[in-house]
PDB file of all heavy atoms in Angstrom:
ATOM      1  N   HIS L  18      17.420  -8.848  15.190  1.00  0.00           N
ATOM      2  CA  HIS L  18      16.872  -9.648  14.086  1.00  0.00           C
ATOM      3  C   HIS L  18      15.850  -8.854  13.260  1.00  0.00           C
ATOM      4  O   HIS L  18      15.784  -8.985  12.041  1.00  0.00           O
ATOM      5  CB  HIS L  18      16.209 -10.920  14.638  1.00  0.00           C
ATOM      6  CG  HIS L  18      17.177 -11.927  15.143  1.00  0.00           C
ATOM      7  ND1 HIS L  18      17.815 -12.841  14.331  1.00  0.00           N
ATOM      8  CD2 HIS L  18      17.652 -12.159  16.392  1.00  0.00           C
ATOM      9  CE1 HIS L  18      18.622 -13.600  15.059  1.00  0.00           C
ATOM     10  NE2 HIS L  18      18.543 -13.213  16.310  1.00  0.00           N
ATOM     11  N   GLU L  19      15.051  -8.059  13.942  1.00  0.00           N
ATOM     12  CA  GLU L  19      14.015  -7.273  13.278  1.00  0.00           C
ATOM     13  C   GLU L  19      14.633  -6.302  12.253  1.00  0.00           C
ATOM     14  O   GLU L  19      14.218  -6.261  11.095  1.00  0.00           O
ATOM     15  CB  GLU L  19      13.206  -6.503  14.342  1.00  0.00           C
ATOM     16  CG  GLU L  19      12.092  -5.628  13.814  1.00  0.00           C
ATOM     17  CD  GLU L  19      10.947  -6.434  13.215  1.00  0.00           C
ATOM     18  OE1 GLU L  19      10.825  -7.638  13.545  1.00  0.00           O
ATOM     19  OE2 GLU L  19      10.188  -5.854  12.403  1.00  0.00           O
ATOM     20  N   TYR L  20      15.632  -5.543  12.690  1.00  0.00           N
ATOM     21  CA  TYR L  20      16.315  -4.605  11.795  1.00  0.00           C
ATOM     22  C   TYR L  20      17.006  -5.367  10.655  1.00  0.00           C
ATOM     23  O   TYR L  20      16.977  -4.945   9.497  1.00  0.00           O
ATOM     24  CB  TYR L  20      17.349  -3.777  12.570  1.00  0.00           C
ATOM     25  CG  TYR L  20      18.022  -2.715  11.723  1.00  0.00           C
ATOM     26  CD1 TYR L  20      17.533  -1.407  11.679  1.00  0.00           C
ATOM     27  CD2 TYR L  20      19.124  -3.020  10.933  1.00  0.00           C
ATOM     28  CE1 TYR L  20      18.139  -0.440  10.885  1.00  0.00           C
ATOM     29  CE2 TYR L  20      19.736  -2.063  10.128  1.00  0.00           C
ATOM     30  CZ  TYR L  20      19.230  -0.767  10.118  1.00  0.00           C
ATOM     31  OH  TYR L  20      19.821   0.180   9.312  1.00  0.00           O
ATOM     32  N   TYR L  21      17.614  -6.473  10.999  1.00  0.00           N
ATOM     33  CA  TYR L  21      18.353  -7.263  10.012  1.00  0.00           C
ATOM     34  C   TYR L  21      17.439  -7.691   8.866  1.00  0.00           C
ATOM     35  O   TYR L  21      17.776  -7.528   7.690  1.00  0.00           O
ATOM     36  CB  TYR L  21      18.948  -8.496  10.706  1.00  0.00           C
ATOM     37  CG  TYR L  21      19.917  -9.288   9.860  1.00  0.00           C
ATOM     38  CD1 TYR L  21      21.059  -8.708   9.326  1.00  0.00           C
ATOM     39  CD2 TYR L  21      19.709 -10.651   9.621  1.00  0.00           C
ATOM     40  CE1 TYR L  21      21.960  -9.449   8.571  1.00  0.00           C
ATOM     41  CE2 TYR L  21      20.615 -11.392   8.875  1.00  0.00           C
ATOM     42  CZ  TYR L  21      21.732 -10.782   8.344  1.00  0.00           C
ATOM     43  OH  TYR L  21      22.619 -11.516   7.591  1.00  0.00           O
ATOM     44  N   VAL L  22      16.260  -8.215   9.218  1.00  0.00           N
ATOM     45  CA  VAL L  22      15.322  -8.739   8.215  1.00  0.00           C
ATOM     46  C   VAL L  22      14.616  -7.619   7.444  1.00  0.00           C
ATOM     47  O   VAL L  22      14.420  -7.734   6.233  1.00  0.00           O
ATOM     48  CB  VAL L  22      14.279  -9.660   8.891  1.00  0.00           C
ATOM     49  CG1 VAL L  22      13.146 -10.007   7.941  1.00  0.00           C
ATOM     50  CG2 VAL L  22      14.950 -10.922   9.407  1.00  0.00           C
ATOM     51  N   THR L  23      14.261  -6.550   8.121  1.00  0.00           N
ATOM     52  CA  THR L  23      13.441  -5.524   7.464  1.00  0.00           C
ATOM     53  C   THR L  23      14.272  -4.428   6.792  1.00  0.00           C
ATOM     54  O   THR L  23      13.771  -3.750   5.905  1.00  0.00           O
ATOM     55  CB  THR L  23      12.443  -4.871   8.452  1.00  0.00           C
ATOM     56  OG1 THR L  23      13.167  -4.291   9.533  1.00  0.00           O
ATOM     57  CG2 THR L  23      11.461  -5.892   9.000  1.00  0.00           C
ATOM     58  N   ASN L  24      15.534  -4.248   7.205  1.00  0.00           N
ATOM     59  CA  ASN L  24      16.345  -3.185   6.625  1.00  0.00           C
ATOM     60  C   ASN L  24      17.608  -3.692   5.928  1.00  0.00           C
ATOM     61  O   ASN L  24      17.826  -3.396   4.753  1.00  0.00           O
ATOM     62  CB  ASN L  24      16.779  -2.183   7.716  1.00  0.00           C
ATOM     63  CG  ASN L  24      15.623  -1.380   8.251  1.00  0.00           C
ATOM     64  OD1 ASN L  24      15.283  -0.322   7.748  1.00  0.00           O
ATOM     65  ND2 ASN L  24      14.981  -1.890   9.291  1.00  0.00           N
ATOM     66  N   HIS L  25      18.421  -4.434   6.665  1.00  0.00           N
ATOM     67  CA  HIS L  25      19.733  -4.787   6.125  1.00  0.00           C
ATOM     68  C   HIS L  25      19.651  -5.744   4.933  1.00  0.00           C
ATOM     69  O   HIS L  25      20.271  -5.499   3.889  1.00  0.00           O
ATOM     70  CB  HIS L  25      20.620  -5.387   7.229  1.00  0.00           C
ATOM     71  CG  HIS L  25      22.018  -5.618   6.753  1.00  0.00           C
ATOM     72  ND1 HIS L  25      22.934  -4.594   6.607  1.00  0.00           N
ATOM     73  CD2 HIS L  25      22.645  -6.742   6.350  1.00  0.00           C
ATOM     74  CE1 HIS L  25      24.068  -5.096   6.147  1.00  0.00           C
ATOM     75  NE2 HIS L  25      23.922  -6.394   5.973  1.00  0.00           N
ATOM     76  N   ILE L  26      18.897  -6.827   5.100  1.00  0.00           N
ATOM     77  CA  ILE L  26      18.803  -7.825   4.033  1.00  0.00           C
ATOM     78  C   ILE L  26      18.204  -7.233   2.741  1.00  0.00           C
ATOM     79  O   ILE L  26      18.770  -7.437   1.654  1.00  0.00           O
ATOM     80  CB  ILE L  26      18.009  -9.064   4.519  1.00  0.00           C
ATOM     81  CG1 ILE L  26      18.822  -9.817   5.584  1.00  0.00           C
ATOM     82  CG2 ILE L  26      17.617  -9.983   3.375  1.00  0.00           C
ATOM     83  CD1 ILE L  26      20.073 -10.511   5.071  1.00  0.00           C
ATOM     84  N   PRO L  27      17.104  -6.474   2.823  1.00  0.00           N
ATOM     85  CA  PRO L  27      16.585  -5.851   1.593  1.00  0.00           C
ATOM     86  C   PRO L  27      17.608  -4.922   0.926  1.00  0.00           C
ATOM     87  O   PRO L  27      17.687  -4.874  -0.303  1.00  0.00           O
ATOM     88  CB  PRO L  27      15.372  -5.057   2.087  1.00  0.00           C
ATOM     89  CG  PRO L  27      14.941  -5.761   3.338  1.00  0.00           C
ATOM     90  CD  PRO L  27      16.200  -6.248   3.978  1.00  0.00           C
ATOM     91  N   MET L  28      18.397  -4.200   1.725  1.00  0.00           N
ATOM     92  CA  MET L  28      19.432  -3.316   1.162  1.00  0.00           C
ATOM     93  C   MET L  28      20.478  -4.135   0.413  1.00  0.00           C
ATOM     94  O   MET L  28      20.857  -3.811  -0.731  1.00  0.00           O
ATOM     95  CB  MET L  28      20.122  -2.528   2.278  1.00  0.00           C
ATOM     96  CG  MET L  28      21.250  -1.650   1.763  1.00  0.00           C
ATOM     97  SD  MET L  28      22.515  -1.313   3.034  1.00  0.00           S
ATOM     98  CE  MET L  28      21.587  -0.304   4.175  1.00  0.00           C
ATOM     99  N   ALA L  29      20.954  -5.228   1.030  1.00  0.00           N
ATOM    100  CA  ALA L  29      21.957  -6.081   0.385  1.00  0.00           C
ATOM    101  C   ALA L  29      21.404  -6.674  -0.914  1.00  0.00           C
ATOM    102  O   ALA L  29      22.087  -6.684  -1.945  1.00  0.00           O
ATOM    103  CB  ALA L  29      22.408  -7.191   1.339  1.00  0.00           C
ATOM    104  N   CYS L  30      20.159  -7.145  -0.877  1.00  0.00           N
ATOM    105  CA  CYS L  30      19.544  -7.730  -2.083  1.00  0.00           C
ATOM    106  C   CYS L  30      19.427  -6.698  -3.203  1.00  0.00           C
ATOM    107  O   CYS L  30      19.676  -6.999  -4.374  1.00  0.00           O
ATOM    108  CB  CYS L  30      18.157  -8.290  -1.755  1.00  0.00           C
ATOM    109  SG  CYS L  30      18.237  -9.831  -0.814  1.00  0.00           S
ATOM    110  N   ARG L  31      19.050  -5.471  -2.838  1.00  0.00           N
ATOM    111  CA  ARG L  31      18.884  -4.402  -3.819  1.00  0.00           C
ATOM    112  C   ARG L  31      20.235  -4.074  -4.462  1.00  0.00           C
ATOM    113  O   ARG L  31      20.353  -3.969  -5.684  1.00  0.00           O
ATOM    114  CB  ARG L  31      18.312  -3.169  -3.109  1.00  0.00           C
ATOM    115  CG  ARG L  31      17.672  -2.141  -3.991  1.00  0.00           C
ATOM    116  CD  ARG L  31      16.908  -1.104  -3.162  1.00  0.00           C
ATOM    117  NE  ARG L  31      17.742  -0.454  -2.172  1.00  0.00           N
ATOM    118  CZ  ARG L  31      17.525  -0.489  -0.839  1.00  0.00           C
ATOM    119  NH1 ARG L  31      16.492  -1.154  -0.345  1.00  0.00           N
ATOM    120  NH2 ARG L  31      18.332   0.144  -0.005  1.00  0.00           N
ATOM    121  N   MET L  32      21.270  -3.954  -3.625  1.00  0.00           N
ATOM    122  CA  MET L  32      22.585  -3.582  -4.147  1.00  0.00           C
ATOM    123  C   MET L  32      23.205  -4.695  -4.990  1.00  0.00           C
ATOM    124  O   MET L  32      23.963  -4.422  -5.916  1.00  0.00           O
ATOM    125  CB  MET L  32      23.512  -3.198  -3.000  1.00  0.00           C
ATOM    126  CG  MET L  32      23.041  -1.932  -2.312  1.00  0.00           C
ATOM    127  SD  MET L  32      24.281  -1.223  -1.208  1.00  0.00           S
ATOM    128  CE  MET L  32      25.523  -0.697  -2.391  1.00  0.00           C
ATOM    129  N   TRP L  33      22.912  -5.940  -4.644  1.00  0.00           N
ATOM    130  CA  TRP L  33      23.496  -7.078  -5.364  1.00  0.00           C
ATOM    131  C   TRP L  33      22.566  -7.607  -6.461  1.00  0.00           C
ATOM    132  O   TRP L  33      22.914  -8.574  -7.151  1.00  0.00           O
ATOM    133  CB  TRP L  33      23.833  -8.210  -4.384  1.00  0.00           C
ATOM    134  CG  TRP L  33      24.984  -7.877  -3.472  1.00  0.00           C
ATOM    135  CD1 TRP L  33      25.935  -6.917  -3.665  1.00  0.00           C
ATOM    136  CD2 TRP L  33      25.311  -8.505  -2.223  1.00  0.00           C
ATOM    137  NE1 TRP L  33      26.829  -6.919  -2.626  1.00  0.00           N
ATOM    138  CE2 TRP L  33      26.479  -7.876  -1.729  1.00  0.00           C
ATOM    139  CE3 TRP L  33      24.738  -9.540  -1.477  1.00  0.00           C
ATOM    140  CZ2 TRP L  33      27.074  -8.249  -0.523  1.00  0.00           C
ATOM    141  CZ3 TRP L  33      25.344  -9.909  -0.290  1.00  0.00           C
ATOM    142  CH2 TRP L  33      26.494  -9.271   0.187  1.00  0.00           C
ATOM    143  N   GLY L  34      21.378  -7.007  -6.591  1.00  0.00           N
ATOM    144  CA  GLY L  34      20.444  -7.445  -7.625  1.00  0.00           C
ATOM    145  C   GLY L  34      19.936  -8.857  -7.399  1.00  0.00           C
ATOM    146  O   GLY L  34      19.727  -9.614  -8.349  1.00  0.00           O
ATOM    147  N   LEU L  35      19.727  -9.223  -6.132  1.00  0.00           N
ATOM    148  CA  LEU L  35      19.308 -10.586  -5.791  1.00  0.00           C
ATOM    149  C   LEU L  35      17.858 -10.630  -5.317  1.00  0.00           C
ATOM    150  O   LEU L  35      17.356  -9.665  -4.741  1.00  0.00           O
ATOM    151  CB  LEU L  35      20.169 -11.135  -4.643  1.00  0.00           C
ATOM    152  CG  LEU L  35      21.639 -11.373  -4.921  1.00  0.00           C
ATOM    153  CD1 LEU L  35      22.312 -11.862  -3.652  1.00  0.00           C
ATOM    154  CD2 LEU L  35      21.818 -12.371  -6.044  1.00  0.00           C
ATOM    155  N   THR L  36      17.237 -11.776  -5.538  1.00  0.00           N
ATOM    156  CA  THR L  36      15.898 -11.975  -4.985  1.00  0.00           C
ATOM    157  C   THR L  36      15.871 -13.196  -4.069  1.00  0.00           C
ATOM    158  O   THR L  36      14.963 -13.349  -3.273  1.00  0.00           O
ATOM    159  CB  THR L  36      14.866 -12.209  -6.107  1.00  0.00           C
ATOM    160  OG1 THR L  36      15.336 -13.267  -6.948  1.00  0.00           O
ATOM    161  CG2 THR L  36      14.672 -10.958  -6.941  1.00  0.00           C
TER     162      THR L  36
END
Side-chain angles (χ1 to χ4, degrees):
Chain L
H18 288 276
E19 180 68 20
Y20 184 94
Y21 189 58
V22 169
T23 58
N24 291 271
H25 186 76
I26 291 291
M28 177 206 293
C30 286
R31 199 169 56 240
M32 294 193 68
W33 290 340
L35 294 178
T36 53

